[in-house]
Amino acid sequence: MPRIDLKTLARELLAEPAPAAATLRVQAWAGDKGYTEISGAEVIFAPVREVVFIDGVPAREVYLEPTGGRFCFRLDLLRSGNVLVTRFVAVPDVDEVEFGALRQVDPTSFAYTDEAVTAWEMVRAAALAAREGMVTSGRVVDGELLLTRIDGSEFSAGIVRGPKGDTGATGAKGDAGLTGAKGDTGFQGPKGDTGAQGVQGLQGSQGVQGAKGDTGAKGDVGAIGAKGESVTVTLIPDASWPPAADSNPLHIYVRMLA
């Protein structure tokens, strides 16, 4: 995957020395939105990556996938939250390319829109030529350094292991590194299992008394009762109360209050 050299980014985009602080936002692009790929039943959305510049120096390296005419990359240079410049570029299939060698393209057709010479084609040709003798790995055997070329051939670079030296002094503690850019939001996790049923709650307080109901319908007339025995009721004025001692005990006496 090509490494993009961003050291001259500010001069390429702004035609002035690098700003004290800026952010480069990078996203694979197609048409008027971020590029997406369909893999089986999955839809893969292109992430948005950001590179922070401090004193014109990028905080980390950037590696971008070769576009191959399938999409392009949208590059936004921001400072203080404002977009200063936007470019749509294609990325060649080389090991490394300078930012200034990236050719601008139409974001829909991906056709070149600049009149520049194909700078990356020269870069790619030089890179391929250099790869002919490129060393891909090495190993030390009995003090001898053996290197392996990209074509699989191996050659000796001589004896590289000398006598063991004295232990060096402890170096000074380095400065704290810059805070890295915020990572992409992860996928939502699966739904968890249903929890156990909770304990039964306390019995609630007694509710308020309900409103008085409507008067019921009038009942049927009852049957005529049996004829009762006659009783004599005698009214006695309050002043003559109580009844005389020889009053008839079978009478009912009622006191009349004044």
Side-chain angles (χ1 to χ4, degrees), residues 35-45:
Y35 178 66
T36 57
E37 285 187 350
I38 299 178
S39 177
E42 294 184 351
V43 178
I44 303 173
F45 296 90

Side-chain angles (χ1 to χ4, degrees), residues 46-199:
V48 177
R49 286 171 279 184
E50 292 187 348
V51 181
V52 177
F53 285 76
I54 303 297
D55 295 329
V57 179
R60 63 186 178 91
E61 294 185 331
V62 175
Y63 292 85
L64 299 179
E65 178 184 355
T67 52
R70 297 177 296 117
F71 59 94
C72 64
F73 279 98
R74 174 173 175 163
L75 308 178
D76 295 310
L77 185 65
L78 302 93
R79 182 165 54 186
S80 301
N82 299 316
V83 177
L84 302 180
V85 180
T86 296
R87 275 189 180 181
F88 298 96
V89 300
V91 175
D93 187 8
V94 296
D95 293 327
E96 181 176 298
V97 60
E98 290 187 359
F99 179 84
L102 296 175
R103 296 195 61 184
Q104 298 187 57
V105 297
D106 181 275
T108 300
S109 66
F110 314 125
Y112 300 135
T113 58
D114 56 18
E115 300 298 332
V117 178
T118 55
W120 81 42
E121 293 181 1
M122 294 186 293
V123 173
R124 185 173 186 273
L128 290 176
R131 289 181 63 180
E132 294 295 330
M134 182 181 296
V135 173
T136 59
S137 63
R139 58 197 179 99
V140 176
V141 179
D142 296 329
E144 183 180 12
L145 176 60
L146 300 178
L147 301 178
T148 303
R149 298 186 181 91
I150 194 170
D151 60 2
S153 61
E154 189 175 66
F155 66 96
S156 173
I159 302 299
V160 295
R161 178 176 296 172
K164 182 178 181 180
D166 298 331
T167 302
T170 302
K173 182 178 181 181
D175 298 329
L178 300 174
T179 301
K182 182 179 180 181
D184 301 328
T185 301
F187 294 107
Q188 181 174 342
K191 181 179 179 180
D193 299 331
T194 302
Q197 181 174 340
V199 298

Side-chain angles (χ1 to χ4, degrees), residues 1 15 23 71 143 175 229:
M1 186 175 295
T23 300
F71 59 94
D175 298 329
E229 297 179 355

